[in-house]
Amino acid sequence: MVMLIHNQVIEISSGPWEGMYRVVLNAPRTDQTILARLSGSTSPNGRTRGRKMQDVTKSPRKKAPLPLVGELIWVGHAQLDDLRSDNMVKVVDIEREQFILSKSDQDRYAHRVEVMSDFLDFDKLSSTILKDGGVGSLVSAAVAATGASKPLLYKLWSLLCRFGFSAVSLKPRRDRCGAPGVARPCDPNGRQKAGRKTVREYAAKASGKTLPPTHPGMSTEWRHWIMIADKKIPNPKPDFPARYKFILNSQFVKRYRTENGLHVPLELKQGEYPNPSQVKRVLTTEVPRLQRLLDRTTAGHFARSLRGMTGRNWKGVAGPGHTWAIDSTIGDIYLRSSVNRAWIIGRPVVYIIVDVWSTAIVGFYVCLAGPSWDTAKVSLFSAAADPALLADLWQYEPILSLYPAAMMPAVLMCDRGEYLSIAASLTGMKLIPCLSYAPPYRPDLKGLVEVLHRIEKDGQHLWLPGAIDARRKEYELRRFDPREAVLTVREYTEYLHTVFAEYNLTANRAKRIDTHMASAGVMPSPSGLWRWGHEVGIGTRRAFPQSELISELLPQQRGIVSRSGVRFCGLHYESEKINEEQWTAHARNFGSWNIDINHFPGSVSRIWTPNLAGSGLLDLRLSQQTIASREQTFDEVLDAFMVRKLNTADIEHARVLQIMKSHQRVEALIASARFLTEEAIKRYSGEVPTMMESRQIENQSSVTSPTVPSAAVTASVDEAQLTYLEHMKDVFAAVNAAGESS
């Protein structure tokens, strides 16, 4: 025996029962199954229902609705068993078409569900059919309860039999009314132009006349011409007024006259061309909405800002530390020089390195030089070096936001200009297995770094003096005054270190937490993802000795070993190793020599040079007796040097003026002394004492009042000398006593 279930759809493949049926009810007590035929209008016994269709000689203006179904057919189980034994019955599924109800149809749908509530109740439906042999009593009850018409009830019953006994089957399909998307051309001898008539046509109709439309409707030919002309316009297409003029001039100008061998177009006549509204309507209906967007922009702009999202940026990334993205931007802030805070040094260049998998900022670098692979290497050093070393170079207290600390990645994504440099290839062969770059003008392919740049710029303009509000489109609304700047490069670096550490520890990454991470209690932040990835073994850490990172990533220049020590960039450096090996003694006795120096451009506090007597690098510290301080950068030291060079002429002029002034004063002093000496010689008529006697007299006169030399004075020279010495002892004793008392 075939056991069928309510709401099932079966298909009978051949015979008088051929077609598709929906099971309305299965009644085992009566050994019958009640079906409703879905396909065809002929019942199994050959009778037909409804009116006889009349011959239609003219094609209808709209598609005829589906015929009503729902006649109950009682079939015995024995008949179904015979069909089943012949393999002529099979259960099938009919997929329901999906569509969205408009707001105006939602109330209609709710009313339909209310009207058919008894039909959707299986107990009421089954008991009524078994008792009355049909649904007539349910229809009458629904009409009395809701006031709906019987045709509506039978139409809704047909929908339930056709699409299934569910409330979803009662959704109205008014979206198919009016033939949306079907052209209704106003071709000759066909459809007349729709719409409101003009005042002239109304006046003519009132007098009993019928005037043809002044402006014809859109015909198939016009529609075809408009699309041909529009395809000739290259992308991005102009605004509609220019587009409309091009379309008319391209396809609707049909008459010309010849002037001087040239074809001059004649004026268009009314009714021979479409108006702007008609052209706009054709372009709107014929061109898909997304294609219209593509026509108004370039392919590159669409790919950057308008294309659909096809994946995640961490797709294909093994885990934290595997792939880094690096990018630079000009910071929206003005800085001051640490050499002289009165100097404004302009806007810095900020490099950011982001781990793609965890979105954590693994490193950054602030400099004053333009973007290049040399500065990119320093940024890599800032990401892979010991955080304590970086904090010592920049002179700030480190915030350890990533554990374990970042090391060199396996893949680095950079800009095209940096990627194509020879230096990048050499660095990649030694430290990074895979270098990749985004195509030119495609920041969307490295959007994570761009977004972090924007976050950094948006967050600083409210708090940092001298910052720029970069989100303002108009330049005059960006509100910045370079004179408000207060931060130096070192201070701005410390600020960014604090901001990026806060980002790593607090940025919300709840959408990245999967079930495994949630069960492990992972903190939904970049640092939490970074730590979890390394704990479960999917992180990448490629360790290199610090000496190799310094020699490969930091810029290299020439220094000199002289008798006064190691000199680089005009600064002196020292270390215990140099003192032990007596470098300055060798330079003093055998001549100076040049050495290779690796330096961190952001700080003059340290430099490194190869250890020729051993392994690794020698760490040289800035001497306290040099001309710069530890918090300054090499760029600022060079700025000070160039300022001094620029002022060389002024300094030399001031020196010459002082020399001349001193020389003139000396000459005046000598001339005055010469005049006084000559006058004294002329006035003096006595005996001239010897040089010894004059010295003794001069020493005595510094203590006592001067007297005229005489024989008695000469005789008492020794006594005067003793008196002078005794007096000086008393003076020193008084000074020492005053020092002790103070």
Side-chain angles (χ1 to χ4, degrees):
M1 180 180 67
V2 179
M3 293 299 295
L4 298 178
I5 306 173
H6 169 67
N7 206 31
Q8 270 186 333
V9 178
I10 62 173
E11 182 181 6
I12 300 177
S13 57
S14 64
W17 294 89
E18 183 178 0
M20 300 185 75
Y21 301 84
R22 184 174 297 277
V23 178
V24 179
L25 181 63
N26 187 27
R29 294 182 180 180
T30 61
D31 290 334
Q32 287 182 316
T33 300
I34 305 170
L35 306 176
R37 189 180 181 93
L38 303 183
S39 61
S41 58
T42 304
S43 59
N45 54 15
R47 295 185 298 107
T48 59
R49 297 180 58 86
R51 296 181 302 172
K52 182 180 180 181
M53 293 186 61
Q54 299 179 355
D55 295 335
V56 180
T57 57
K58 185 178 180 181
S59 59
R61 295 188 59 181
K62 62 181 180 179
K63 189 176 180 180
L66 294 174
L68 297 181
V69 298
E71 179 186 1
L72 300 182
I73 304 173
W74 298 70
V75 184
H77 288 171
Q79 292 176 293
L80 291 176
D81 288 337
D82 293 340
L83 295 174
R84 178 67 178 273
S85 62
D86 295 337
N87 295 323
M88 296 173 61
V89 178
K90 63 179 179 180
V91 179
V92 298
D93 289 329
I94 300 178
E95 295 290 340
R96 183 182 289 112
E97 184 180 356
Q98 301 296 326
F99 60 95
I100 300 176
L101 282 179
S102 63
K103 292 182 179 180
S104 60
D105 285 340
Q106 291 178 359
D107 295 338
R108 183 185 297 267
Y109 170 60
H111 176 67
R112 288 185 172 188
V113 173
E114 180 184 1
V115 169
M116 300 299 290
S117 59
D118 291 343
F119 292 84
L120 297 174
D121 188 342
F122 176 74
D123 293 335
K124 288 186 179 181
L125 179 63
S126 59
S127 60
T128 302
I129 292 176
L130 293 176
K131 177 183 177 182
D132 302 335
V135 295
S137 59
L138 286 178
V139 172
S140 300
V143 170
T146 62
S149 63
K150 283 189 176 182
L152 176 61
L153 266 296
Y154 282 109
K155 176 181 177 181
L156 299 181
W157 168 252
S158 176
L159 293 179
L160 292 178
C161 294
R162 184 179 296 277
F163 300 112
F165 290 90
S166 173
V168 182
S169 303
L170 300 176
K171 287 184 176 181
R173 295 304 306 269
R174 292 203 301 172
D175 59 304
R176 297 183 298 190
C177 297
V182 178
R184 291 179 287 274
C186 299
D187 292 332
N189 301 323
R191 186 193 304 268
Q192 296 296 319
K193 181 183 177 183
R196 182 178 178 180
K197 293 179 172 52
T198 63
V199 176
R200 179 180 298 179
E201 292 173 353
Y202 272 120
K205 187 175 182 180
S207 61
K209 298 180 181 179
T210 301
L211 297 178
T214 305
H215 194 85
M218 179 59 60
S219 63
T220 304
E221 188 178 37
W222 278 11
R223 185 181 297 270
H224 184 63
W225 288 352
I226 291 172
M227 295 307 302
I228 290 177
D230 187 67
K231 290 180 180 179
K232 295 180 181 179
I233 304 176
N235 292 341
K237 297 187 184 299
D239 293 337
F240 180 74
R243 199 169 172 182
Y244 176 68
K245 288 186 292 184
F246 181 87
I247 291 173
L248 293 186
N249 186 67
S250 175
Q251 294 294 330
F252 291 91
V253 175
K254 301 298 182 183
R255 296 190 306 277
Y256 297 86
R257 70 171 180 269
T258 303
E259 290 184 2
N260 300 325
L262 300 176
H263 297 289
V264 179
L266 298 178
E267 293 182 353
L268 293 172
K269 292 184 179 180
Q270 189 175 8
E272 293 183 348
Y273 63 93
N275 57 33
S277 299
Q278 290 175 318
V279 175
K280 184 177 292 186
R281 173 68 179 174
V282 171
L283 296 178
T284 303
T285 56
E286 293 293 330
V287 182
R289 189 177 184 182
L290 186 60
Q291 184 61 41
R292 295 200 302 269
L293 179 63
L294 286 168
D295 291 343
R296 294 301 304 274
T297 185
T298 61
H301 179 260
F302 178 82
R304 290 192 302 271
S305 306
L306 304 174
R307 64 178 173 86
M309 299 293 103
T310 57
R312 302 291 185 178
N313 59 348
W314 64 84
K315 181 179 180 180
V317 180
H322 180 271
T323 302
W324 289 359
I326 181 173
D327 188 48
S328 62
T329 187
I330 299 177
D332 286 334
I333 188 172
Y334 284 86
L335 301 180
R336 291 187 176 271
S337 173
S338 61
V339 176
N340 187 348
R341 286 184 177 267
W343 299 349
I344 300 175
I345 58 178
R347 298 164 61 182
V349 175
V350 180
Y351 272 88
I352 293 181
I353 303 179
V354 184
D355 178 65
V356 174
W357 192 87
S358 65
T359 71
I361 299 178
V362 294
F364 72 98
Y365 177 57
V366 180
C367 60
L368 302 177
S372 65
W373 181 249
D374 291 334
T375 50
K377 288 197 299 183
V378 180
S379 305
L380 284 174
F381 176 81
S382 301
D386 185 4
L389 173 61
L390 291 174
D392 182 70
L393 289 172
W394 284 115
Q395 299 295 303
Y396 61 69
E397 187 69 24
I399 303 175
L400 302 180
S401 59
L402 297 181
Y403 180 83
M407 293 185 178
M408 291 298 290
V411 179
L412 178 67
M413 296 188 297
C414 57
D415 289 332
R416 181 174 181 270
E418 297 163 344
Y419 173 83
L420 296 180
S421 63
I422 299 178
S425 302
L426 297 176
T427 305
M429 287 189 295
K430 297 179 180 179
L431 300 178
I432 305 173
C434 180
L435 284 174
S436 63
Y437 70 95
Y441 309 106
R442 289 299 304 275
D444 57 299
L445 298 182
K446 52 177 182 175
L448 180 60
V449 190
E450 301 290 342
V451 169
L452 292 177
H453 277 310
R454 189 190 68 206
I455 293 174
E456 160 214 335
K457 293 180 178 181
D458 291 349
Q460 70 186 13
H461 80 271
L462 293 176
W463 312 109
L464 297 186
I468 304 172
D469 188 357
R471 298 301 294 270
R472 302 293 186 99
K473 291 184 178 180
E474 294 79 7
Y475 185 80
E476 61 272 11
L477 295 179
R478 294 191 179 183
R479 292 188 306 157
F480 65 94
D481 185 1
R483 294 173 296 180
E484 296 180 357
V486 296
L487 298 182
T488 63
V489 174
R490 191 208 66 79
E491 293 166 344
Y492 184 59
T493 301
E494 183 176 358
Y495 162 78
L496 290 182
H497 174 72
T498 305
V499 170
F500 292 154
E502 177 187 356
Y503 162 82
N504 286 340
L505 294 170
T506 63
N508 188 3
R509 293 294 178 267
K511 294 182 179 180
R512 288 290 309 278
I513 301 298
D514 58 19
T515 55
H516 302 287
M517 298 179 187
S519 62
V522 177
M523 177 70 178
S525 65
S527 61
L529 294 175
W530 173 276
R531 181 166 187 167
W532 180 84
H534 284 89
E535 287 178 351
V536 299
I538 62 174
T540 301
R541 302 186 74 212
R542 302 178 62 248
F544 291 91
Q546 181 170 290
S547 59
E548 187 172 356
L549 293 177
I550 293 173
S551 59
E552 295 295 337
L553 297 178
L554 294 184
Q556 189 178 86
Q557 300 289 344
R558 302 288 285 180
I560 185 171
V561 180
S562 64
R563 58 192 300 174
S564 59
V566 178
R567 189 170 71 251
F568 175 70
C569 194
L571 307 177
H572 286 83
Y573 292 85
E574 58 189 10
S575 73
E576 294 295 332
K577 187 71 173 178
I578 291 177
N579 296 333
E580 293 175 2
E581 296 181 0
Q582 295 290 323
W583 284 22
T584 56
H586 282 78
R588 182 176 184 180
N589 293 281
F590 307 113
S592 60
W593 69 91
N594 295 328
I595 57 175
D596 292 331
I597 297 293
N598 292 98
H599 67 283
F600 185 75
S603 175
V604 299
S605 60
R606 287 187 180 186
I607 59 174
W608 295 268
T609 186
N611 185 9
L612 301 180
S615 60
L617 299 174
L618 292 179
D619 189 349
L620 309 182
R621 306 298 179 97
L622 186 69
S623 174
Q624 295 183 356
Q625 288 76 39
T626 191
I627 59 175
S629 55
R630 298 182 62 188
E631 73 276 2
Q632 295 173 355
T633 67
F634 280 98
D635 291 331
E636 292 172 334
V637 171
L638 295 177
D639 284 344
F641 173 77
M642 293 307 299
V643 169
R644 188 170 68 250
K645 294 287 288 184
L646 291 174
N647 297 331
T648 299
D650 296 336
I651 296 174
E652 187 65 26
H653 176 65
R655 182 183 291 112
V656 171
L657 292 180
Q658 187 63 40
I659 290 174
M660 295 302 297
K661 187 182 293 184
S662 300
H663 178 70
Q664 293 169 1
R665 185 174 180 178
V666 169
E667 286 186 342
L669 179 63
I670 293 174
S672 176
R674 182 179 289 113
F675 174 76
L676 294 175
T677 302
E678 291 176 355
E679 289 291 329
I681 292 174
K682 289 179 181 181
R683 289 196 304 267
Y684 189 76
S685 59
E687 182 181 358
V688 178
T690 64
M691 189 179 301
M692 177 71 69
E693 294 173 346
S694 299
R695 185 181 184 90
Q696 293 175 352
I697 295 172
E698 182 72 21
N699 289 333
Q700 184 178 3
S701 64
S702 63
V703 179
T704 61
S705 59
T707 57
V708 180
S710 61
V713 172
T714 304
S716 62
V717 170
D718 295 335
E719 295 180 2
Q721 183 72 20
L722 294 175
T723 303
Y724 169 73
L725 294 177
E726 291 295 332
H727 180 73
M728 291 302 296
K729 289 180 180 179
D730 295 337
V731 172
F732 275 111
V735 172
N736 291 334
E740 291 178 359
S741 62
S742 61

